Amino acid sequence: MSSHPATQVKAMLVTLSPDGSTHLVSHHPPTQENPLGFHRLVGGSVEPGETHREAVIREVHEELGARIEDLTSLDVLESIFMVDGRQGHEIVLVHAGRLDPAPPQTGGRLTEIDGSVLPVVWRPVADADQPIPLYPLSSPISPRESGTAVVAVPEVTSWNG
């Protein structure tokens, strides 16, 4: 039997600000690998018997108390990473949608299933100079020259909320 942790299946959400220049992420505390902490798309684990769409809807409701409008599947990503010296491995089903209600521009929080509370922040889409890493690393968001976002779906579509 392997001593490696199991690969986890996650469902996460890309939600853009109304002007498309930022997207919502949770800010996690520092780790050995990331002394400033790290950002992560909102969402969580797909539970047994649950579809990825059901999971992202449930996770967003549990963590933020919000509903997702215009939910769209975007991409499937594989994320292999280190947290405090331990390797993690996730298959992430990424979705796009708008939140109702949307978290505030500052001071927003989400509550994890274990009761821990994390800040949520609006991260710039054009984040090349951002010192805090975003996970999963290959999130399907790319900045336009105007600073707003294009969310990559099979046919690249502008989504500005």
Side-chain angles (χ1 to χ4, degrees):
M1 180 177 282
S2 173
S3 64
H4 297 287
T7 300
Q8 296 183 350
V9 178
K10 301 283 185 171
M12 297 186 150
L13 183 72
V14 174
T15 190
L16 299 175
S17 59
D19 69 1
S21 66
T22 59
H23 65 101
L24 190 70
V25 296
S26 54
H27 185 130
H28 293 255
T31 65
Q32 290 174 8
E33 299 80 9
N34 298 301
L36 298 176
F38 60 93
H39 288 161
R40 188 164 171 86
L41 296 177
V42 175
S45 295
V46 177
E47 295 181 356
E50 184 176 52
T51 69
H52 58 94
R53 290 179 64 85
E54 292 167 341
V56 75
I57 290 167
R58 176 187 50 75
E59 287 283 348
V60 165
H61 184 263
E62 287 175 358
E63 293 178 348
L64 295 168
R67 289 181 328 109
I68 303 173
E69 296 179 350
D70 303 322
L71 182 63
T72 305
S73 294
L74 294 181
D75 205 353
V76 178
L77 304 173
E78 184 170 34
S79 181
I80 299 172
F81 54 92
M82 299 294 288
V83 175
D84 290 330
R86 293 190 337 248
Q87 187 176 55
H89 188 181
E90 298 172 339
I91 304 301
V92 183
L93 295 106
V94 184
H95 301 79
R98 291 181 292 116
L99 296 179
D100 180 27
Q105 288 297 314
T106 60
R109 304 244 180 253
L110 68 73
T111 304
E112 299 265 66
I113 195 157
D114 66 0
S116 61
V117 177
L118 296 171
V120 292
V121 298
W122 293 91
R123 180 184 175 100
V125 170
D127 66 356
D129 62 346
Q130 178 64 248
I132 300 173
L134 172 65
Y135 296 107
L137 286 174
S138 300
S139 296
I141 308 168
S142 60
R144 276 198 225 148
E145 288 180 24
S146 68
T148 61
V150 172
V151 176
V153 291
E155 300 152 12
V156 177
T157 304
S158 173
W159 189 82
N160 288 323

